[in-house]
Amino acid sequence: MIARKGVSVLGSTGSIGRSTLDVIARHPDRFKVTALTARSQWKLLLEQAIDHRPELVVLVEPANAPELQQGLRAAGLSTELMTGAEALETAATLASADCVMAAIVGAAGLASTLAAAHAGRRVLLANKEALVMSGPLLLDAVRASGAELLPIDSEHNAIFQCLPPIRPGVAAPGVRRLWLTASGGPFLRLPASEFPQVTPESAVAHPRWRMGQKISVDSATLMNKGLELIEAQLLFGMSPGTVEVVVHPESIVHSLVEYTDGSTLAQLGNPDMRTPIAHALGWPDRLESGVQSLDMLALGSLRFEAPDRDKFRCLVLAEAAGRVGGTAPAILNAANEVAVEAFLERRLNFDGIPMVIDHVLSQIATEAVTGLADVLAADGAARRAAAALIAG
Ligand code: NDP
Ligand code: MG
């Protein structure tokens, strides 16, 4: 019998967190949940704790901690409850946690993702913003501690599956190019002239994937693909210009690796995040994920087209930040987070998102990244500049 692996799920109440617990629940012989974390959704966190009996739960916002504590005791659980953002790092580094699912959205997940990497755990990386912001720092931490870094983002997980065994951040031999597929989001066919009228409701209604609000808006602007382009450069040691974006509206081919001999390998599957989650949890073994078989005969045709860079300016801004490097990706990411939040709160039009990011990138000088302080300073400056611009 194999010893059960402990898994801490950071952001367990989110879309990725819930899919992770769904996969884990299918394999009680292999996995046990060590910690669960949420920002404010305490009722769902309590339900998850009752189902999975973790050692620790973290509720970042303390307002409902008393109710949560009472619920845990009423259920007869001895689970410890911690509050506050620092407790996320405790969850990421529990002695019993072999794997850490980094599924908090945005910069809020940076410290805990870095902590898991420093502690030498298997890091399942959904929180792409953490890597985009900290870049080489996260990869250095992984290499120094002997941690494993397995991508959850479906495109990067697909590429990982099509590559020979690699070290994080080091290019595999014989690779010419990576092709990142993009669904194109809900506004693939909407004329740019209608972008100012786009509502948050229509932006989060993604045609292929059910995801959290922030990444859904990022998919609608194509910033998600821009962040993923930077993520791919970093994870797979690729130089700018060797990662291509191709729109593939069916979201069946999750990405491709082109080799120097002319071979191109792809990973296909139904658009369901439980596939990459199960892959990374089980790797190198293959696990049942609950995802339906791909019905090849029902697929019909698969389409591929170039992204419209005149319409989706966020992609162009991200490509530029990826070329510049240093703190530019952190500035891009922070300005985007502030702009997306303002859009969701109806303080900024949809077409204002790239305008804000562009302005912030031109306002704040890019520096080299020598340590976390550089990243945090760039992130803070970009947030202030974006907020000031939106407040007008
Ligand atoms: P969700 O918005 O659905 O979930 C976010 C999770 O993070 C929730 O558990 C939330 O808690 C928690 N959280 C939010 N803010 C904070 C904070 N300030 N401090 C601590 N915890 C916080 O997001 P997704 O699951 O969609 O995405 C998570 C990450 O995975 C993102 O980085 C995204 O880009 C990436 N990803 C997602 C994919 C998807 O299919 N959803 C696909 C590929 C990547 P609460 O519920 O209490 O608010
Ligand atoms: Mg993705």
Side-chain angles (χ1 to χ4, degrees), residues 113-252:
T113 305
L114 279 172
H118 280 296
R121 306 309 157 88
R122 171 174 290 197
V123 182
L124 312 182
L125 184 73
N127 181 206
K128 66 191 89 182
E129 297 93 344
L131 177 63
V132 167
M133 287 175 76
S134 67
L137 298 180
L138 179 57
L139 296 171
D140 287 348
V142 165
R143 284 190 287 259
S145 68
E148 291 175 303
L149 187 61
L150 295 175
I152 295 297
D153 221 340
S154 56
E155 297 77 3
H156 307 74
N157 183 270
I159 290 168
F160 184 89
Q161 293 196 44
C162 295
L163 288 173
I166 51 157
R167 293 188 337 123
V170 180
V175 173
R176 186 185 284 155
R177 271 190 298 189
L178 304 179
W179 290 86
L180 283 183
T181 51
S183 70
F187 307 134
L188 180 59
R189 310 287 176 222
L190 189 76
S193 58
E194 292 182 31
F195 277 9
Q197 283 81 48
V198 160
T199 61
E201 291 75 20
S202 60
V204 300
H206 196 276
R208 299 281 168 214
W209 300 93
R210 296 264 70 80
M211 309 181 288
Q213 288 203 320
K214 192 263 179 182
I215 185 178
S216 295
V217 176
D218 286 350
S219 299
T221 61
L222 286 206
M223 177 54 89
N224 184 48
K225 214 46 56 181
L227 296 174
E228 290 183 359
L229 187 115
I230 299 171
E231 181 185 11
Q233 282 177 202
L234 288 161
L235 278 177
F236 305 117
M238 301 297 287
S239 52
T242 60
V243 184
E244 303 275 348
V245 172
V246 58
V247 173
H248 165 48
E250 293 80 12
S251 296
I252 294 294

Side-chain angles (χ1 to χ4, degrees), residues 4-138:
R4 292 201 303 163
K5 278 193 179 147
V7 188
S8 284
V9 185
L10 313 182
S12 63
T13 50
S15 160
I16 293 288
R18 282 178 274 128
S19 292
T20 304
L21 292 178
D22 179 284
V23 175
I24 288 175
R26 292 166 194 274
H27 301 281
D29 51 329
R30 275 184 177 260
F31 302 111
K32 62 176 191 295
V33 172
T34 43
L36 296 170
T37 83
R39 177 180 50 185
S40 58
Q41 285 205 70
W42 69 274
K43 286 183 185 161
L44 179 54
L45 186 62
L46 175 60
E47 280 173 34
Q48 293 179 336
I50 292 170
D51 288 345
H52 293 277
R53 312 180 74 81
E55 274 171 47
L56 171 68
V57 292
V58 175
L59 184 66
V60 172
E61 291 181 359
N64 297 108
E67 291 96 318
L68 178 56
Q69 181 71 271
Q70 203 177 17
L72 291 169
R73 294 300 161 259
L77 296 177
S78 55
T79 302
E80 186 184 349
L81 165 64
M82 293 176 77
T83 58
E86 298 74 34
L88 297 170
E89 290 168 62
T90 309
T93 56
L94 281 183
S96 52
D98 304 288
C99 296
V100 176
M101 168 55 82
I104 291 172
V105 59
L110 175 64
S112 51
T113 305
L114 279 172
H118 280 296
R121 306 309 157 88
R122 171 174 290 197
V123 182
L124 312 182
L125 184 73
N127 181 206
K128 66 191 89 182
E129 297 93 344
L131 177 63
V132 167
M133 287 175 76
S134 67
L137 298 180
L138 179 57

Side-chain angles (χ1 to χ4, degrees), residues 229-230 233 239-241 316-326 328-329:
L229 187 115
I230 299 171
Q233 282 177 202
S239 52
V316 178
L317 294 168
E319 284 170 336
R323 268 194 306 276
V324 172

Side-chain angles (χ1 to χ4, degrees), residues 212-345:
Q213 288 203 320
K214 192 263 179 182
I215 185 178
S216 295
V217 176
D218 286 350
S219 299
T221 61
L222 286 206
M223 177 54 89
N224 184 48
K225 214 46 56 181
L227 296 174
E228 290 183 359
L229 187 115
I230 299 171
E231 181 185 11
Q233 282 177 202
L234 288 161
L235 278 177
F236 305 117
M238 301 297 287
S239 52
T242 60
V243 184
E244 303 275 348
V245 172
V246 58
V247 173
H248 165 48
E250 293 80 12
S251 296
I252 294 294
V253 176
H254 296 304
S255 278
L256 313 94
V257 177
E258 179 184 330
Y259 288 92
T260 44
D261 63 4
S263 299
T264 298
L265 303 191
Q267 185 259 358
L268 283 69
N270 283 317
D272 187 324
M273 290 306 294
R274 290 177 299 175
T275 293
I277 291 167
H279 170 266
L281 274 170
W283 188 80
D285 295 347
R286 294 280 176 173
L287 305 181
E288 170 62 51
S289 66
V291 177
Q292 284 196 338
S293 294
L294 190 60
D295 184 348
M296 297 302 287
L297 300 179
L299 275 182
S301 60
L302 299 177
R303 291 165 296 165
F304 299 93
E305 55 191 86
D308 183 342
R309 288 183 169 77
D310 294 330
K311 193 164 127 181
F312 295 107
R313 302 301 298 163
C314 283
L315 178 60
V316 178
L317 294 168
E319 284 170 336
R323 268 194 306 276
V324 172
T327 53
I331 295 168
L332 172 98
N333 176 68
N336 181 56
E337 285 192 27
V338 173
V340 169
E341 194 182 337
F343 166 67
L344 286 169
E345 293 172 357

